[in-house]
Amino acid sequence: MIGFLAFAVAAWVFVVGLYGMATSRNLIHLILCLSVTQSSTYVLILEVGYRLGATAPVFSDVLPGVRAVDPVVDALTLTDIVVGATATALLLAFALRVHKKRQTLDPEALRPMQG
Amino acid sequence: MSSRARTAMILVSGAVMLVLILFAVAGLPPFGHYPGPYGDVLNTVAPHERQIPNIVTAVNFDYRGVDTLGEEYILFAAVAGIALVLRQDRKRTKDEPLAPSRTLHTTARTDAVSAFAALAIAVTIAFGAYLGIHASQTPGGGFQGGTILSGVGVLIFFGLGYRAFAKLTRKEPLETVEAIGAGAYAVIGLATLVATGAFLKNALPLGGEGQLFSTGTIGVINLCVLVEVCAGFLLLYLDFAHQTRVEEPEPSQE
Amino acid sequence: MTPETLAPLAFAVPLAVAALCAAIGPFVPRRVLDALAIATGLFCTVACALLAQAATRGTIVHWFGGWTPRHGIALGIAFTVDPAGGALAAFAAFLSTAALLFAWTYYDESGPPFPVLMLTFMSALIGFFLTGDLFNMFVFFELMGVAAYALTAYRTEDESAVLGAFAFGVLNSVGAFLVLLGIALVYGRTGALNMAQISHALGTHADALIVLAFAFVAAGLLVKAALAPFHFWLADAHAVAPTPLCVLFSGIMVQAGLYAVARVYWSVFSGALGGHEQTLRTVLIVFGLVTAFTGAFMCFGQRHFKRLLAFSTIAHTGILVCAFALLSAHGVAGMIVYVLGHGLTKGGLFMCSGILLNRLGTVDVEQLRGKLSGEWVGIVAIALGALALAGMPPFGTFLGSSLIEHAAEDVGLGWLPWVLLIAAALTGGSVLNALGRMAFGWGPPPDPEAKTPQFESPEANQGDKGFPLMMYACAAFLIVCACAIGLIPRAASAALGAGERFVDRAGQLAIVLKETPGAPLALPPAEPITSSLASGLLAAVLAVAFAALALFAHRLPSGADATKVLETMLKPLRRIHDGVVTDYVAWLAAGTAALGTALAAWMR
Amino acid sequence: MTEQVVQGIALAMTAVVATVVVLAREPKRQIFCFMLYGLVLTLLFAALQAPDVALSELAVGSIAIPFAVLATLVRIENGRR
């Protein structure tokens, strides 16, 4: 029923995040758009490992051998989420530092060097 | 580039990328039909080889444990970087007593808020600890437990203010704890390399299935991750919380 | 100790030491941490060199956790070390050690974060070169990235350093997401993450998914490799990053991105994409040439010496991409030798720039005009470095160019090396041009109407502290090594052997998944390098000629007008390097769209 | 069947809220949209039978990142005063 649309959502989120970054007028806005772009990779990775009607790969309540979704994609996404969170926080720290010096977060006004 | 040119450029290239990605995902197996084999093999062999019901934990801390080691160090490096960038003014105030700070709340905190915060803190600690310890049994593990436990810092900050937060969580010991958590993971890997000839290969006895600490190295690594993540995120919160204190803006170099 | 255990040691020991440094950092003197870091760097250099040596007797595979594959299915992560990967890992560790040694006297005070982050960065580089797992590669890509962003912003009081780190972080993160997008596509199709296993599962036929997965992974990795139009972050970040770090950035990190593209192509996609070699070659060469000349022209006439060197790195990335684009074992061999030669040269040059900054307080060529008079070691080192960049014999870059030249002839692209030679000569000429101004005060004075650019504050240690022996020793040693590497007997044939092994997809498959023992490296005869002596010398002459033109053309009749015309022509190119991070994102999206469309459209 | 309905709703919300986050140009409004987005993703991951990931996303997407952003915003406000 959902089929292709599930993957299309991931594609949309990736591109919309990129659009937000490129048109951003504020570094904090840009960082959050970066997070949105990253979230599309979580969505896509989890989707490719999903199996209709299957349980989570935790065999405490169900017996091993029951149809389960892919545990690997869960592990990959977990790693990805940590990476995303820490990189986001680091970039925020950069933005904050820049603002202290220049009192602005507008990317147009913040050019390290030109030409 | 003018902002109009940039918008045009991103609209065109974004549209092209959207089409490309759609074109590519059309070649995937239909949604909900993961073809395997990686996950299926692990779902089959891991429960009895590693004596663990939560296969995600087994993948994270054993089968693909090196990814998690890298991930822990990403957190470690990022926290070091954040401290580096935000510490500038911290140095200045290091030996001074904490100045009265205005934080997110300009109004005084009521007792009700503090009481609520205390309750929330207790619940969060219980929940985080449960998640962190029961990695092998139920969804959750060192990472989830660690992030939720560190959320206590956020609650203290909102409930009791920056001063309480900074008093309750000293930066220097936390940094040492964090380094030990991250380093222990690498050291466990090196120790198992010496003991078994393979990095991160389990060298501890396995208990019966379903027991709390029956999973050999997985249990130990889970604990390291719990410590490292909790300390790392607390440091991160502490550095950012410190910024909410009022200061004079630094003069620009221009 | 078996070679199999060396692979995990080389990446895990620096991580453990990094944590140790962080834990004991507040309690011990700074020198203890520095010494610990340098010792670890030496250890990793030796370990990786032994590993590379052992790999010549057969590709080394280490299965983490002891999870060897079952029935051709990988359960865990493997490090797959071939001679090329091992050698580059050793080179990464070597350069890191040199950079740490350089930093020893460079900083008066550096807190614990510096050695901690440097060790983490080195570990990530080593892991990145050794891993045989696609997702694990992504993890090391990110680890390298996070440590690098933090180090770029190391001089936090300089906001352009923080801004450079910001652009670097944003662009590389988007690159990482593209890599991940490609990995997700591949994983959805094959259910595998081990490179050899994916390659087996992909078969020998390409469809849209495979082509685009490669396009996304390659685009993401090429952000790190600074291919145009993904290169904007590099010039900003390298110009402002601490000099010891620039040595690593320009010397090996950027090239690591390109190495990863080659690795992913040959280990994963070459079976499926093999039928489309022609198209892929054309597309990559177009991108490579655009990059080479963007970098070369931007390099020429830069006032900021570190930024000049950064643009030269971009130009050399273009050359390396063209070498990879030949899609042959010989092309890979040339690429690897060129990476080594260029990395040593660029490392030495960046160290020289650091010494200038350290002693004279600026790297602005015009402010340094005629001020270098006493620094003979520096002048000679920079001059030799400039000629090495151009590819003069007997430097390593010359040996690399010579291998690339033969590889290009093999696939019927005999014209390509001559075009690349011009780009290389332009970068060498730019450095000579700057040197002529700084050392001898030659050349026309700067346009008084042009506003004086705001340049960075000195990094550390400024003031007369006597002859900086240690720093000059490091710089000179790297330049000498750059020369020595071109003189090693049978280096070319060893590189060719390593290249053959690198592209041997079937052999790797058998070793990784079926655990068949590897065979010793065959050493194919290399063409005598004397056949390319002429082109090497031509490159050096051209470099000198370009520099002479830039310095003295204004004395010729109508020379000044010609310079003006050239300036006007280069203006649009300069204008797009505007330092606005949102522009860079837009360029990144455009580049990915272009690469993907070109591959998808022509590969049907 | 209900499983798919939940997934469909979660996916649709993901696409919509992601767009809203991007289009919310004002950082203070954006951060609340972002917290909502974290919750939507948590729901989606739970619906995709990935409880481990859902828990992490809850902790990171709705606590960690928003806290860092809020602290940054407060700092910027204070700096202006």
Side-chain angles (χ1 to χ4, degrees):
Chain A
M1 182 185 93
I2 305 170
F4 181 71
L5 283 178
F7 299 133
V9 167
W12 171 254
V13 174
F14 192 100
V15 173
V16 102
L18 266 187
Y19 166 80
M21 286 168 72
T23 53
S24 184
R25 299 307 304 269
N26 180 311
L27 294 189
I28 293 177
H29 174 266
L30 191 152
I31 294 169
L32 287 178
C33 290
L34 184 77
S35 273
V36 169
T37 308
Q38 175 153 38
S39 70
S40 77
T41 61
Y42 315 154
V43 174
L44 185 62
I45 292 181
L46 282 179
E47 280 172 353
V48 300
Y50 180 68
R51 191 168 272 168
L52 284 173
T55 68
V58 181
F59 301 111
S60 301
D61 307 324
V62 294
L63 289 172
V66 173
R67 252 167 79 92
V69 304
D70 182 11
V72 177
V73 291
D74 288 16
L76 303 188
T77 315
L78 266 176
T79 305
D80 198 13
I81 286 180
V82 186
V83 171
T86 53
T88 306
L90 187 59
L91 290 174
L92 274 172
F94 290 163
L96 218 169
R97 182 77 211 152
V98 167
H99 186 272
K100 278 188 199 174
K101 285 272 185 181
R102 300 279 285 265
Q103 275 77 46
T104 177
L105 285 172
D106 183 356
E108 296 264 2
L110 295 166
R111 305 165 185 235
M113 44 186 62
Q114 299 167 34
Chain B
M1 210 186 311
S2 73
S3 86
R4 185 176 293 171
R6 181 167 58 236
T7 307
M9 190 162 159
I10 189 68
L11 280 176
V12 172
S13 41
V16 173
M17 275 188 72
L18 184 63
V19 172
L20 287 177
I21 301 175
L22 288 177
F23 202 37
V25 293
L28 285 169
F31 174 69
H33 297 272
Y34 167 64
Y38 198 171
D40 291 333
V41 176
L42 290 178
N43 276 340
T44 315
V45 301
H48 60 269
E49 276 183 8
R50 289 306 274 113
Q51 301 287 352
I52 186 168
N54 185 351
I55 312 302
V56 180
T57 301
V59 176
N60 261 324
F61 297 142
D62 193 354
Y63 291 95
R64 298 189 66 82
V66 184
D67 282 348
T68 310
L69 176 60
E71 170 208 304
E72 291 314 298
Y73 270 86
I74 292 175
L75 175 61
F76 176 72
V79 169
I82 291 167
L84 189 73
V85 177
L86 298 184
R87 200 185 291 148
Q88 287 287 311
D89 37 289
R90 192 169 256 280
K91 247 182 224 160
R92 213 183 314 144
T93 54
K94 197 173 176 184
D95 300 321
E96 298 164 19
L98 287 170
S101 60
R102 268 185 297 162
T103 59
L104 287 175
H105 308 276
T106 41
T107 53
R109 260 168 230 91
T110 60
D111 289 344
V113 171
S114 299
F116 179 75
L119 182 68
I121 288 166
V123 172
T124 309
I125 291 179
F127 184 49
Y130 176 83
L131 279 183
I133 293 171
H134 287 78
S136 60
Q137 305 294 315
T138 51
F143 177 69
Q144 293 89 340
T147 36
I148 289 175
L149 270 181
S150 66
V152 170
V154 176
L155 287 171
I156 295 177
F157 176 76
F158 279 110
L160 308 170
Y162 171 74
R163 278 157 69 86
F165 183 27
K167 252 188 205 145
L168 286 168
T169 47
R170 310 295 314 178
K171 190 172 167 83
E172 284 77 13
L174 261 185
E175 276 178 338
T176 309
V177 168
E178 195 221 0
I180 289 172
Y185 197 156
V187 170
I188 291 170
L190 291 171
T192 50
L193 181 67
V194 173
T196 66
F199 195 86
L200 285 179
K201 182 175 183 173
N202 184 36
L204 298 173
L206 295 177
E209 187 170 343
Q211 289 169 16
L212 207 54
F213 291 108
S214 64
T215 46
T217 43
I218 290 183
V220 187
I221 293 172
N222 182 50
L223 209 61
C224 297
V225 171
L226 179 72
V227 169
E228 139 85 353
V229 168
C230 185
F233 273 88
L234 271 177
L235 280 169
L236 194 154
Y237 296 146
L238 203 54
D239 278 326
F240 274 99
H242 182 80
Q243 298 297 320
T244 60
R245 299 171 64 238
V246 182
E247 278 175 75
E248 290 304 307
E250 285 175 43
S252 175
Q253 272 187 338
E254 282 170 82
Chain C
M1 193 182 300
T2 59
E4 283 78 18
T5 58
L6 274 176
L9 270 187
F11 99 98
V13 168
L15 289 183
V17 177
L20 179 70
C21 285
I24 63 170
F27 315 111
V28 299
R30 173 211 159 194
R31 288 299 177 207
V32 176
L33 300 184
D34 287 355
L36 211 54
I38 291 169
T40 312
L42 278 176
F43 167 80
C44 291
T45 312
V46 173
C48 291
L50 288 174
L51 200 58
Q53 169 72 26
T56 58
R57 294 191 292 274
T59 299
I60 295 165
V61 183
H62 179 92
W63 288 99
F64 285 97
W67 298 112
T68 45
R70 309 231 177 117
H71 315 293
I73 297 171
L75 294 190
I77 295 171
F79 271 8
T80 310
V81 189
D82 63 336
L88 285 172
F91 181 61
F94 171 79
L95 264 192
S96 308
T97 315
L100 283 165
L101 269 174
F102 182 80
W104 179 276
T105 45
Y106 193 66
Y107 289 114
D108 267 344
E109 53 165 340
S110 69
F114 189 74
V116 168
L117 289 170
M118 283 291 272
L119 285 173
T120 310
F121 183 65
M122 177 176 78
S123 161
L125 268 172
I126 293 173
F128 193 66
F129 281 120
L130 301 185
T131 190
D133 184 283
L134 209 49
F135 189 80
N136 194 234
M137 185 179 245
F138 161 81
V139 171
F140 283 122
F141 183 96
E142 282 281 18
L143 179 59
M144 196 193 309
V146 168
Y149 318 148
L151 280 167
T152 304
Y154 193 71
R155 290 180 301 123
T156 48
E157 66 281 359
D158 176 5
E159 74 257 32
S160 64
V162 181
L163 274 173
F166 186 86
F168 180 17
V170 168
L171 274 271
N172 272 264
S173 296
V174 178
F177 306 158
L178 284 170
V179 172
L180 211 47
L181 186 61
I183 292 177
L185 291 171
V186 165
Y187 186 71
R189 169 67 61 85
T190 63
L193 290 169
N194 181 281
M195 291 189 193
Q197 194 189 336
I198 298 173
S199 159
H200 180 66
L202 285 180
T204 52
H205 175 72
D207 63 359
L209 180 141
I210 297 177
V211 170
L212 286 167
F214 175 70
F216 292 137
V217 172
L221 292 169
L222 287 169
V223 172
K224 192 142 248 159
L227 183 82
F230 312 132
H231 67 285
F232 294 94
W233 63 270
L234 185 142
D236 291 353
H238 288 212
V240 294
T243 307
L245 198 65
C246 289
V247 173
L248 292 181
F249 279 9
S250 262
I252 188 70
M253 182 187 78
V254 165
Q255 291 75 8
L258 185 59
Y259 163 86
V261 178
R263 177 75 182 254
V264 167
Y265 176 77
W266 286 109
S267 301
V268 179
F269 290 96
S270 61
L273 297 180
H276 302 279
E277 264 184 7
Q278 263 316 328
T279 314
L280 188 58
R281 185 175 294 146
T282 312
V283 172
L284 285 173
I285 286 180
V286 168
F287 273 91
L289 285 177
V290 169
T291 310
F293 282 94
T294 305
F297 283 126
M298 285 302 292
C299 184
F300 211 72
Q302 274 291 329
R303 278 184 65 165
H304 187 294
F305 193 57
K306 276 167 83 178
R307 194 163 158 86
L308 184 155
L309 292 177
F311 277 115
S312 129
T313 299
I314 293 170
H316 289 273
T317 287
I319 295 172
L320 288 166
V321 168
C322 288
F324 162 65
L326 300 173
L327 300 178
S328 69
H330 291 201
V332 169
M335 184 178 102
I336 288 164
V337 174
Y338 201 93
V339 166
L340 300 181
H342 168 264
L344 290 165
T345 310
K346 193 57 68 65
L349 283 172
F350 262 115
M351 284 181 181
C352 290
S353 80
I355 297 170
L356 296 186
L357 189 57
N358 194 292
R359 279 166 77 74
L360 302 166
T362 180
V363 287
D364 180 6
V365 171
E366 292 303 340
Q367 284 179 36
L368 286 173
R369 182 175 276 272
K371 291 218 177 106
L372 237 64
S373 43
E375 310 271 345
W376 281 108
V377 188
I379 293 175
V380 172
I382 293 176
L384 285 177
L387 294 172
L389 282 188
M392 188 179 81
F395 284 98
T397 38
F398 163 69
L399 185 61
S401 314
S402 144
L403 286 167
I404 295 169
E405 197 176 312
H406 296 307
E409 279 159 12
D410 289 345
V411 293
L413 292 171
W415 55 271
L416 184 65
W418 299 96
V419 181
L420 297 179
L421 185 150
I422 296 173
L426 267 171
T427 66
S430 313
V431 177
L432 285 177
N433 171 22
L435 181 67
R437 287 161 202 261
M438 293 190 293
F440 308 109
W442 292 339
D447 188 359
E449 282 166 35
K451 63 172 185 186
T452 312
Q454 280 251 317
F455 284 146
E456 60 199 309
S457 48
E459 288 177 28
N461 252 12
Q462 207 210 334
D464 190 27
K465 300 223 174 72
F467 187 72
L469 183 67
M470 179 75 135
M471 292 194 274
Y472 267 135
C474 288
F477 180 59
L478 289 193
I479 301 277
V480 169
C481 284
C483 183
I485 214 165
L487 293 172
I488 300 173
R490 309 222 295 150
S493 88
L496 290 178
E500 301 273 6
R501 179 62 54 82
F502 191 82
V503 305
D504 182 11
R505 172 175 161 266
Q508 208 181 78
L509 196 69
I511 289 173
V512 174
L513 290 184
K514 304 194 178 97
E515 299 183 74
T516 46
L521 203 64
L523 292 182
E527 306 226 11
I529 49 172
T530 42
S531 58
S532 345
L533 265 182
S535 57
L537 289 172
L538 175 67
V541 170
L542 268 180
V544 174
F546 285 137
L549 270 180
L551 289 171
F552 304 117
H554 67 289
R555 296 196 189 160
L556 300 173
S558 75
D561 294 337
T563 324
K564 276 227 174 70
V565 172
L566 192 71
E567 280 290 314
T568 324
M569 278 166 61
L570 288 180
K571 213 161 232 168
L573 190 62
R574 294 243 163 105
R575 197 172 298 136
I576 59 174
H577 292 82
D578 56 4
V580 179
V581 63
T582 47
D583 282 4
Y584 297 176
V585 174
W587 279 110
L588 197 163
T592 312
L595 186 67
T597 313
L599 292 183
W602 285 336
M603 277 194 178
R604 272 183 305 157
Chain D
M1 199 58 214
T2 44
E3 184 190 16
Q4 291 205 27
V5 172
V6 175
Q7 282 165 6
I9 294 171
L11 280 166
M13 281 169 71
T14 305
V16 172
V17 180
T19 314
V20 170
V21 173
V22 165
L23 295 181
R25 299 274 166 186
E26 210 279 309
K28 258 184 235 149
R29 189 171 319 142
Q30 194 194 17
I31 188 60
F32 287 106
C33 299
F34 190 83
M35 285 170 86
L36 179 66
Y37 184 58
L39 292 176
V40 170
L41 283 181
T42 306
L43 175 68
L44 175 66
F45 297 162
L48 289 174
Q49 296 295 332
D52 288 81
V53 184
L55 280 169
S56 314
E57 176 58 34
L58 186 66
V60 165
S62 298
I63 304 175
I65 298 182
F67 179 77
V69 175
L70 277 176
T72 309
L73 290 177
V74 169
R75 164 71 221 210
I76 285 166
E77 289 291 305
N78 284 345
R80 283 214 184 102
R81 246 176 260 147

